[in-house]
Amino acid sequence: MKKDVIIACDFPSKAETFALLDRFGSVKPFVKIGMELFYAEGPDIVRQLKSRGHSVFLDLKLHDIPNTVRRTMSVLRDLGADMVNLHAAGTRAMMEAALEGLTRPDGTRPILIAVTQLTSTSEDTMARELLINAPMEDVVIHYARNARSAGLDGVVCSPLEAARVHETCTDSFLTVTPGIRFSDSASSDQVRVTTPSLAKSLGSDYIVVGRPITSAADPVAAYMRCVEDFV
Ligand code: C5P
């Protein structure tokens, strides 16, 4: 599996997204679009990004009953997304149903990864509000194991967890890692940040980079710097 840099296009509109991507000319980065842009612009945004030559990670984090997730995943598959995700908390039955829905008649399918625990959830909140009384890292690894045994391709995690995920779930189980910052840029609201080169040495398979690229004075140079340091 090729390592790659995924740009998080956290924009409210197609116009702003394409204004950024137009600056890249013939370079076609792998892009991530989330709920904000997808709900604002509708599914056609995926088709348009694909027709412009981008690989698309559709970050919609599905979590529902297995039948609903199965049916929804077949819709996302037909849009042409290259990578999609769901919440591992939806259980193995939901993850297995998602894989069924994603798989095309010829056996091919987009990459499917799981969110373990959101990085916005603290160990304390997890215990008090969700009644999950285990260390955060154990929960993340346990959810990653569930995802692996359901047949998924990987998880979203911190680069700092990538080695343990690979140890537990095999080297080929993908780690898709946000929380990336250059050593000379602001961390903003990300708490545990990692540089692209550290993410590479920790074994991340894909880094997801938003503001260090999208808010840079020269986004193309910032992207190329990520590629040079990571790929
Ligand atoms: O701008 P920044 O580089 O912080 O963007 C990171 C992207 O990765 C955002 O789209 C954010 O929602 C996403 N993400 C994250 N942490 C997670 C899961 C997703 O930062 N645990």
Side-chain angles (χ1 to χ4, degrees), residues 117 121-135 139 143:
Q117 279 291 340
T121 308
S122 69
E123 200 166 283
D124 181 53
T125 311
M126 197 170 68
R128 273 187 299 105
E129 295 187 20
L130 308 180
L131 295 183
I132 300 173
N133 290 293
V139 175
Y143 282 23

Side-chain angles (χ1 to χ4, degrees), residues 8 10 32 59 61 115 117-120 156 178-181 187 189-190 208-212 214:
D10 292 321
K32 172 174 97 72
D59 178 15
K61 300 187 179 70
V115 175
Q117 279 291 340
L118 293 171
T119 43
S120 51
V156 182
I180 304 297
R181 292 295 178 266
S187 61
D189 54 348
Q190 295 281 14
V208 177
V209 189
R211 288 159 292 178
T214 58

